[in-house]
Amino acid sequence: MTESTTDAHTRAACPVLPPRGPAHPLGLAQVSITGGFWHARQAVNAAATLAHCESWMERLGWLANFDRVADGTTSPDRPGWPFSDSEVYKLLEALAWESARTGDPEAETAIKRLTARVGRAQDPDGYLNTCFGHRGRPPRYSDLEGGHELYNIGHLLQAAVARLRTSGEDELVRIARRAADHVCRTFGPDGLPKICGHPEIEVGLAEFGRALGEDRYIEQARLFLDRRGHGTLGDIPLGRAYFQDDIPIRQADVWRGHAVRALYLAAAAVDVAVERGDDELLRAVERQWERSVARRTYITGGMGSRHQDEGFGEDWELPPDRAYCETCAGVASIMVSWRLYLATGDVRYTDLIERTLYNVIAASPAADGRAFFYANPLHQRAPGRPSDPDEVSPRAESGQRAAWFDVSCCPTNVARTLASLGGYLATTGDDGLQIHQYAPCDIDARLPDGRRVAVAVETRYPDGGTVRVRITADEPAPWSLALRVPAWADGATLDEDGRARPVTPGLVTIRRVFRAGEVITLELPMEPRFTWPDPRIDAVRGCVAVERGPEVLCAESHDLPRPDALDALVIDPRTPPRADSGGARVRGRVPAHRDRPWPYGPAVAPAEDGEWFDVPLRPYHSWARRGPSGMRVWLPVSGP
Amino acid sequence: MTESTTDAHTRAACPVLPPRGPAHPLGLAQVSITGGFWHARQAVNAAATLAHCESWMERLGWLANFDRVADGTTSPDRPGWPFSDSEVYKLLEALAWESARTGDPEAETAIKRLTARVGRAQDPDGYLNTCFGHRGRPPRYSDLEGGHELYNIGHLLQAAVARLRTSGEDELVRIARRAADHVCRTFGPDGLPKICGHPEIEVGLAEFGRALGEDRYIEQARLFLDRRGHGTLGDIPLGRAYFQDDIPIRQADVWRGHAVRALYLAAAAVDVAVERGDDELLRAVERQWERSVARRTYITGGMGSRHQDEGFGEDWELPPDRAYCETCAGVASIMVSWRLYLATGDVRYTDLIERTLYNVIAASPAADGRAFFYANPLHQRAPGRPSDPDEVSPRAESGQRAAWFDVSCCPTNVARTLASLGGYLATTGDDGLQIHQYAPCDIDARLPDGRRVAVAVETRYPDGGTVRVRITADEPAPWSLALRVPAWADGATLDEDGRARPVTPGLVTIRRVFRAGEVITLELPMEPRFTWPDPRIDAVRGCVAVERGPEVLCAESHDLPRPDALDALVIDPRTPPRADSGGARVRGRVPAHRDRPWPYGPAVAPAEDGEWFDVPLRPYHSWARRGPSGMRVWLPVSGP
């Protein structure tokens, strides 16, 4: 790598900045989302969600926990779970990206306000935790299985990375450095040979090491990674697979156990693999991704089939009604796929990111940014109860977005993802620009050799399929413009000179000299389409889904004639879905089933077929926005 | 009711003895199982399971917990969950039935040995618990949501009922009386207006009151029942529906929350309804049974669709792979259905008992009686790990029977059910005898008016479908012999005079004078049959099951050609299943699916169909007896 490449990297304000790899991420200074689907969500995030999160953490005493440590008033009664500190750090990370994205002075003020409270709680040796290690509280590191002390610090480090890359070293970075040094001293090669029950410190250390150019942090991440999988932690009722301490990561073939843990760990493994040129490790994560995506992932991109352990199930175990698909697992999946893309340049990773963005991340927040889905099932049988904006939901499985949760990891995770989303849209390689996600945006970057690549993207995507890439700077030397044609986009065309030509899924690349004002137009086919599951996914046998562009669609009880219609709805798979105002319509009917006292018998129970009618389908991410509803993504097809 | 009826009742050695109703249960003195399927299991229970349970409880310190209370050496370190006392009581109940069943002196010795240790731990005021209320332990009744104090006493009372009805008042009964009196004093009308998080005290108090003729215990059961459902207990993450404190039982339409809790509560409600002539309450339980059986019950009779809360799911939420179907919920379901049968005489209840006996209760114990299934899924994707006879399983979801569990409610529950099984086979009404479950047995009973009804049942059921009922005593007056024709037995015949005539499901009744030596023969059709699910059970759409007599059959990976064959197996629904040595064979094939990187697409993925072959199916209750296996009850049918 040339020196100039490294400089370009260190200047990029983005969450992940690997030192090598075929694709170099662009940061918020190079990519600015200017309108459309994601810009609207970023605006709501900025205007409502960030303050919403801080206000709930204040109200519940999660922020005051820091004050209590500082004031020496800790006691056995402490509000919040042991991981509540991490919510403050995730909010700080979100604020740091937000401050860089818009220059909002309120974000900057909030960062300083929160940083000051956090900093006061740090012990002289760098230890920082409000649940352990102080008067009336359990000792430091006395519950590595469940205590989340290192997990919390991992999020602090990610917040510090955001700060370092957007405004440089400040008090938050200094706090993080002291905490990271404490971790390295305590758990280094000569320290406690232990790990944290919830991976996150690894990914935090790796990037913090990159951002500061401190290899010892990366080395500590590697050490944690290699320690894991040997039964280092105690056994628990859910088993050691729950926290991925059952099998060393290099030996695993698939993700298992708690989904967020598995994915944060995988993200760190990619970081360490890239840092150390460890192809075996990189290949292990790719292999796990491949099988997990082929057999353990929902059509929404959601991961985690089980409520019991918030975890992956077995291969093909993908029940839509009990899909957990935690919002945070969506965030974590994007973290892994983005790192894998940067390391390999394989668009299957950015394909999955798109799917997850539209069908997990976008599904979580309410329109007002003040309520969130924690779990994202693909089938809601009974409508959830209406959410109370003033109430903490003790549960994750409601069919209605909740203002806050007892375990409230998702709101801040969505907030930091939305605020930094510009960093996931495009990359540069040695020869040009690659655009991965389509949103109205301005991109202005330099290649390693100094060539300027600048474009404006204009699109109504995903409402419309036309993506116009306007060149906004002259550059006399030729360069490559690559656009991702999504895997689903059968029939896409590219027009660079008034003549549209067909293009196939993957990166379509144009290499030449571009002139400012030129427009390249990608047309993605936005007709709604039927999507069929692998026959081995038992839980959706005999069903079909409808997708439109990157969006998975769903039927909602609001749009059906009877309260129990969702249970009986069947659709006609011979009549293709028709486009309808951002969604689709399919031909369906609601058979009237005769209730039998015992639901099993020598023949399928007879039913009156019912009249065919047009069933409206809407984007899954918008479900329950009209109030609690029954919903289903997978639609049973009418009999042969 | 006549006085003589009451006398007949109080003499019957059986777990449930309501004071009125169309059917009067017979006890172990009147019904003796002499051979066959259940006798073999009773023998293993006697020879192995009872001692196995005592030995594990000794080894784990659950018995020593009683000694520690007696010796004043309790401390914060106490082995076992708060409900471990109840396992001792359930074992005592099993031993009491076993002692009556066979007169085994070892059972009697064990009862005295255990009773002495339990008795020493009782406080002077009758309070009896090893987890709460003593030095180093939390105070009495300080955690009614999770502490199980009253639940434990409920099981003590059931053990005392068994003792009372098999050998009369002894030390165990006196202990139980003191405990029950303490409960009534503490939680009576003027006491703490609270309830226990796990119902069981209610059903224990009701029967203990019956057995002793003490109405105040029944009244206390009623009081607990009516208190429930008003948010009496604190909220918990799983919600108050978890312990049925969300809705008063009279208002509920369906069972919900933790299955064992819901069912123990329903059993008590029937008892109270019958005692108080409370038809509204009885009808409420019947209504809940109807909807739960029609929409929330597995083909095995198993109940509980969710691992997360060991609970019922929504209507139609019946995933076979994540079926929890706790063995104890099977026991509890039989408790409810038996009480409803006794109260109503409706054979739908005894039909469900048969299904549950063969497909839940019989499935749990290993052939040697020293390992047990806790959960009874209908689909095991990956074989469980081999069980270690020397190891406590921390988890309930293994695909292999475990010697003991961290939460080990199921082994003792199976033990008490098997030991008392004779009490569930037959009833008398005012005019005769009704036989509900078919096993080789001797029945010798008197009707309320003194007529003697005595028969011997000879059968190989369920291996064979011939049930011969031989009259074994002359009785000059006519009486009614009623035999249950199971709901599945389409084509059954009855032969009482050399000519077989068709009979339809329900109770088929012959009323006349019977002479000793006469034989009535019921022929039940034992050809294996396809059984189809209601189309609204999403998780098994496009699948069929095979049943044979009362047994649900299953395919096991042991019998399939490839390790992954169970994932892809399809069967031909146009070729009826053929009988095969206690099971069946169906025509099936294993398509070779092409693995796709993303398991959803515009068409069903092509596969090579594979050759047709005969797929052996075996009784579900025998699965994994040949070692860990993959297994499925619901078999996908090959395409249209």
Side-chain angles (χ1 to χ4, degrees):
Chain A
M1 189 184 321
T2 63
E3 192 58 39
S4 60
T5 315
T6 309
D7 287 351
H9 286 168
T10 48
R11 281 196 310 272
C14 57
V16 197
L17 210 43
R20 62 181 65 80
H24 316 315
L26 300 180
L28 303 194
Q30 289 100 34
V31 182
S32 150
I33 301 176
T34 52
F37 186 98
W38 292 110
H39 187 261
R41 281 159 177 79
Q42 289 189 313
V44 169
N45 188 51
T49 303
L50 297 175
H52 175 88
C53 291
E54 184 176 351
S55 117
W56 271 102
M57 288 193 261
E58 190 72 272
R59 172 171 170 177
L60 296 177
W62 299 2
L63 278 164
N65 284 336
F66 289 92
D67 307 335
R68 278 182 219 110
V69 171
D71 301 342
T73 57
T74 51
S75 78
D77 292 327
R78 171 189 172 276
W81 288 91
F83 39 83
S84 69
D85 293 2
S86 75
E87 306 312 332
V88 180
Y89 305 147
K90 280 191 281 181
L91 175 59
L92 273 163
E93 182 186 342
L95 288 163
W97 298 124
E98 188 55 32
S99 173
R101 189 179 75 86
T102 60
D104 178 7
E106 279 190 40
E108 197 60 28
T109 309
I111 292 167
K112 293 203 164 61
R113 180 169 67 233
L114 294 173
T115 299
R117 285 172 85 173
V118 167
R120 286 182 65 226
Q122 190 164 39
D123 289 353
D125 66 351
Y127 180 83
L128 176 55
N129 188 281
T130 70
C131 183
F132 291 86
H134 302 102
R135 199 177 62 178
R137 307 297 316 165
R140 290 180 182 185
Y141 307 119
S142 55
D143 179 15
L144 283 162
E145 287 75 17
H148 288 76
E149 284 156 287
L150 294 171
Y151 164 90
N152 288 328
I153 299 303
H155 278 299
L156 172 69
L157 301 184
Q158 287 191 305
V161 165
R163 202 63 183 144
L164 263 167
R165 294 207 177 122
T166 54
S167 78
E169 180 141 349
D170 71 350
E171 184 54 24
L172 183 65
V173 174
R174 285 185 288 273
I175 293 166
R177 196 193 276 271
R178 287 192 296 266
D181 289 343
H182 164 80
V183 170
C184 291
R185 277 197 310 276
T186 310
F187 293 92
D190 303 324
L192 274 175
K194 295 283 190 179
I195 59 176
C196 181
H198 198 316
E200 164 64 26
I201 184 69
E202 300 85 354
V203 77
L205 279 167
E207 204 66 36
F208 194 57
R210 287 172 175 172
L212 286 171
E214 292 265 21
D215 189 72
R216 66 207 176 86
Y217 296 144
I218 298 167
E219 180 57 18
Q220 182 65 43
R222 187 204 60 74
L223 192 57
F224 280 134
L225 214 71
D226 280 338
R227 270 181 198 157
R228 203 173 201 93
H230 300 280
T232 314
L233 298 168
D235 199 4
I236 57 169
L238 295 169
R240 286 200 179 93
Y242 174 74
F243 35 45
Q244 296 78 44
D245 194 29
D246 54 337
I247 306 171
I249 191 162
R250 290 166 198 275
Q251 292 166 25
D253 288 322
V254 68
W255 291 326
R256 68 234 170 275
H258 189 268
V260 177
R261 286 168 211 246
L263 292 162
Y264 282 177
L265 185 70
V270 179
D271 289 338
V272 167
V274 168
E275 286 294 330
R276 296 298 185 246
D278 187 338
D279 289 343
E280 181 207 45
L281 181 57
L282 180 62
R283 183 61 204 134
V285 180
E286 285 200 282
R287 187 175 68 231
Q288 293 156 22
W289 187 98
E290 283 162 12
R291 181 163 145 196
S292 304
V293 169
R295 299 185 170 209
R296 300 187 176 192
T297 300
Y298 286 92
I299 189 174
T300 53
M303 293 183 183
S305 307
R306 298 181 174 180
H307 279 248
Q308 188 186 24
D309 59 352
E310 308 190 307
F312 287 98
E314 301 283 347
D315 287 355
W316 312 121
E317 182 190 322
L318 293 162
D321 48 350
R322 294 294 285 168
Y324 198 66
C325 294
E326 183 178 341
T327 301
C328 290
V331 170
S333 164
I334 291 171
M335 285 168 58
V336 178
S337 285
W338 185 237
R339 282 161 176 79
L340 285 172
Y341 178 76
L342 298 177
T344 66
D346 190 332
V347 291
R348 61 184 180 173
Y349 300 118
T350 35
D351 272 343
L352 186 66
I353 289 175
E354 171 171 76
R355 184 172 290 278
T356 308
L357 281 172
Y358 282 102
N359 302 294
V360 179
I361 307 302
S364 177
D368 70 358
R370 293 191 174 90
F372 305 85
F373 277 139
Y374 187 118
N376 294 280
L378 279 71
H379 182 180
Q380 178 80 20
R381 294 175 185 276
R385 57 191 181 94
S387 72
D388 180 339
D390 213 38
E391 189 186 15
V392 174
S393 171
R395 287 167 276 282
E397 60 183 308
S398 157
Q400 184 63 307
R401 295 171 180 88
W404 200 250
F405 298 94
D406 180 35
V407 172
S408 218
C409 43
C410 298
T412 52
N413 233 342
V414 168
R416 68 176 182 146
T417 302
L418 288 175
S420 62
L421 194 65
Y424 294 90
L425 261 53
T427 54
T428 52
D430 286 346
D431 192 51
L433 176 70
Q434 301 90 39
I435 306 182
H436 304 292
Q437 310 300 342
Y438 299 117
C441 66
D442 292 326
I443 302 176
D444 193 343
R446 289 201 179 265
L447 303 185
D449 62 8
R451 282 173 292 172
R452 182 175 175 203
V453 293
V455 305
V457 177
E458 297 154 12
T459 183
R460 287 176 45 246
Y461 192 80
D463 282 347
T466 305
V467 179
R468 293 159 58 87
V469 181
R470 180 182 306 277
I471 308 297
T472 51
D474 286 318
E475 165 56 50
W479 55 277
S480 299
L481 173 65
L483 304 178
R484 185 180 61 91
V485 179
W488 52 262
D490 190 31
T493 62
L494 187 77
D495 180 343
E496 51 172 320
D497 52 9
R499 276 175 309 178
R501 62 179 168 97
V503 288
T504 55
L507 278 182
V508 54
T509 304
I510 305 167
R511 184 171 202 283
R512 59 177 169 82
V513 173
F514 293 96
R515 305 257 166 229
E518 269 191 80
V519 174
I520 291 91
T521 304
L522 178 67
E523 283 287 351
L524 297 173
M526 301 303 277
E527 280 305 303
R529 60 193 189 275
F530 279 136
T531 300
W532 299 88
D534 189 289
R536 290 167 291 183
I537 304 178
D538 294 287
V540 296
R541 183 170 287 112
C543 293
V544 68
V546 179
E547 298 182 278
R548 181 180 173 280
E551 294 173 323
V552 174
L553 307 185
C554 68
E556 268 191 289
S557 55
H558 292 308
D559 300 315
L560 294 175
R562 297 200 312 262
D564 64 343
L566 203 69
D567 287 338
L569 178 68
V570 292
I571 66 140
D572 170 15
R574 286 166 299 270
T575 304
R578 284 172 299 117
D580 179 43
S581 63
R585 286 179 177 267
V586 290
R587 188 165 177 261
R589 59 186 178 188
V590 182
H593 289 280
R594 200 175 55 190
D595 277 331
R596 297 187 296 186
W598 178 243
Y600 311 98
V604 175
E608 290 186 32
D609 280 342
E611 296 293 312
W612 290 108
F613 69 105
D614 268 7
V615 183
L617 306 178
R618 294 163 180 264
Y620 170 76
H621 61 70
S622 73
W623 88 274
R625 283 202 199 278
R626 291 174 287 168
S629 66
M631 176 278 298
R632 62 189 304 159
V633 165
W634 290 103
L635 307 170
V637 298
S638 62
Chain B
M1 189 185 320
T2 63
E3 192 57 40
S4 61
T5 315
T6 309
D7 287 351
H9 285 168
T10 49
R11 281 196 309 272
C14 58
V16 196
L17 210 44
R20 63 181 63 81
H24 316 314
L26 300 180
L28 303 195
Q30 289 100 33
V31 183
S32 150
I33 301 176
T34 53
F37 187 97
W38 291 110
H39 188 260
R41 282 159 176 80
Q42 289 188 314
V44 169
N45 189 49
T49 303
L50 297 175
H52 175 88
C53 290
E54 184 176 351
S55 117
W56 271 102
M57 288 194 260
E58 191 72 271
R59 172 170 170 179
L60 296 177
W62 299 0
L63 278 166
N65 285 336
F66 289 92
D67 308 336
R68 277 182 220 111
V69 171
D71 301 342
T73 57
T74 51
S75 77
D77 291 327
R78 171 189 172 276
W81 288 92
F83 40 82
S84 68
D85 293 1
S86 75
E87 306 312 333
V88 180
Y89 305 147
K90 279 191 282 180
L91 175 59
L92 273 163
E93 182 186 343
L95 288 163
W97 299 123
E98 187 56 29
S99 173
R101 188 179 75 87
T102 60
D104 179 5
E106 279 190 40
E108 198 60 30
T109 310
I111 291 168
K112 293 203 165 61
R113 182 169 66 233
L114 295 173
T115 298
R117 285 173 86 174
V118 168
R120 288 183 64 225
Q122 191 165 37
D123 289 353
D125 66 351
Y127 180 82
L128 177 55
N129 187 281
T130 71
C131 183
F132 291 86
H134 301 103
R135 199 178 62 180
R137 308 295 316 164
R140 291 180 181 184
Y141 307 119
S142 56
D143 178 15
L144 283 162
E145 287 74 18
H148 288 76
E149 284 156 288
L150 295 171
Y151 164 89
N152 288 328
I153 298 303
H155 278 299
L156 172 68
L157 301 184
Q158 287 191 305
V161 166
R163 202 62 183 146
L164 263 168
R165 294 207 176 122
T166 54
S167 77
E169 179 141 351
D170 72 349
E171 183 56 25
L172 184 64
V173 175
R174 286 185 288 273
I175 293 167
R177 197 192 276 269
R178 288 192 294 268
D181 290 342
H182 163 81
V183 169
C184 291
R185 278 196 311 275
T186 311
F187 293 92
D190 303 323
L192 274 175
K194 295 284 189 179
I195 58 175
C196 181
H198 198 315
E200 163 65 25
I201 184 67
E202 300 84 355
V203 79
L205 279 169
E207 205 64 37
F208 195 57
R210 287 173 174 171
L212 287 171
E214 292 265 23
D215 190 72
R216 65 207 176 85
Y217 296 143
I218 297 167
E219 181 55 20
Q220 182 65 43
R222 187 204 59 73
L223 192 57
F224 279 134
L225 214 72
D226 279 338
R227 269 181 198 155
R228 203 171 202 95
H230 301 280
T232 313
L233 298 168
D235 199 5
I236 57 170
L238 294 169
R240 286 199 180 93
Y242 174 73
F243 35 46
Q244 296 77 44
D245 194 29
D246 54 336
I247 306 173
I249 190 162
R250 289 166 199 277
Q251 293 167 25
D253 288 321
V254 69
W255 292 326
R256 67 235 171 274
H258 189 269
V260 177
R261 286 168 211 246
L263 292 162
Y264 282 177
L265 185 70
V270 179
D271 290 338
V272 167
V274 169
E275 286 293 332
R276 297 297 185 244
D278 187 339
D279 288 343
E280 181 206 46
L281 180 56
L282 181 63
R283 183 59 204 136
V285 180
E286 286 200 282
R287 186 176 70 229
Q288 293 157 21
W289 187 98
E290 283 162 12
R291 180 163 146 197
S292 304
V293 169
R295 300 184 171 211
R296 300 188 177 190
T297 301
Y298 286 92
I299 190 174
T300 54
M303 293 182 182
S305 308
R306 297 182 175 179
H307 279 248
Q308 188 186 22
D309 58 352
E310 309 190 306
F312 288 98
E314 302 283 348
D315 286 357
W316 313 121
E317 181 189 320
L318 293 161
D321 49 348
R322 295 294 284 167
Y324 198 65
C325 295
E326 184 178 341
T327 300
C328 290
V331 170
S333 164
I334 291 171
M335 287 169 56
V336 177
S337 286
W338 185 237
R339 283 161 174 78
L340 285 173
Y341 178 76
L342 297 177
T344 65
D346 190 332
V347 293
R348 62 183 180 175
Y349 299 119
T350 37
D351 272 342
L352 186 66
I353 288 174
E354 172 171 75
R355 184 174 290 279
T356 309
L357 281 172
Y358 282 102
N359 302 294
V360 179
I361 306 302
S364 177
D368 71 358
R370 292 191 173 90
F372 305 84
F373 277 140
Y374 188 119
N376 294 280
L378 280 70
H379 181 181
Q380 179 78 21
R381 293 174 185 277
R385 57 190 183 95
S387 73
D388 181 338
D390 214 38
E391 189 185 14
V392 175
S393 171
R395 287 168 275 283
E397 61 182 309
S398 155
Q400 183 64 307
R401 294 171 181 89
W404 202 249
F405 297 93
D406 181 34
V407 172
S408 217
C409 42
C410 297
T412 53
N413 234 341
V414 169
R416 67 176 182 145
T417 303
L418 288 175
S420 61
L421 195 64
Y424 294 89
L425 260 53
T427 52
T428 53
D430 287 346
D431 192 50
L433 176 70
Q434 301 91 39
I435 306 182
H436 304 292
Q437 308 301 340
Y438 298 117
C441 66
D442 293 326
I443 302 176
D444 193 343
R446 290 199 180 266
L447 303 185
D449 60 11
R451 280 172 293 171
R452 182 175 175 202
V453 294
V455 304
V457 177
E458 296 154 12
T459 183
R460 288 175 45 245
Y461 192 80
D463 282 347
T466 306
V467 179
R468 294 159 57 87
V469 181
R470 182 181 305 274
I471 308 298
T472 53
D474 285 319
E475 165 55 51
W479 55 276
S480 300
L481 172 67
L483 303 177
R484 184 180 61 90
V485 178
W488 51 262
D490 190 29
T493 61
L494 187 77
D495 180 344
E496 50 171 321
D497 51 7
R499 276 174 307 178
R501 63 181 167 95
V503 288
T504 53
L507 278 183
V508 54
T509 304
I510 305 166
R511 183 171 201 282
R512 59 175 168 83
V513 172
F514 292 97
R515 304 258 164 230
E518 269 192 79
V519 174
I520 291 93
T521 304
L522 178 67
E523 283 286 350
L524 297 172
M526 302 302 280
E527 281 304 302
R529 61 192 189 274
F530 280 136
T531 300
W532 298 89
D534 189 289
R536 289 166 290 182
I537 305 177
D538 294 288
V540 296
R541 181 171 287 112
C543 293
V544 69
V546 179
E547 298 183 278
R548 181 180 171 279
E551 295 173 323
V552 174
L553 306 185
C554 68
E556 269 191 288
S557 55
H558 293 307
D559 300 315
L560 294 176
R562 298 201 312 262
D564 65 342
L566 203 69
D567 288 338
L569 178 68
V570 292
I571 66 141
D572 170 14
R574 287 165 298 271
T575 304
R578 285 173 298 116
D580 180 42
S581 63
R585 285 179 179 266
V586 289
R587 187 165 178 260
R589 60 186 177 188
V590 182
H593 289 280
R594 201 175 56 191
D595 277 333
R596 296 188 295 187
W598 178 242
Y600 310 99
V604 175
E608 290 186 31
D609 279 342
E611 296 294 311
W612 290 107
F613 69 106
D614 268 7
V615 183
L617 306 179
R618 294 162 180 262
Y620 170 76
H621 61 70
S622 73
W623 88 274
R625 284 201 198 279
R626 292 174 286 168
S629 66
M631 176 279 298
R632 62 188 306 159
V633 165
W634 290 103
L635 307 169
V637 298
S638 63

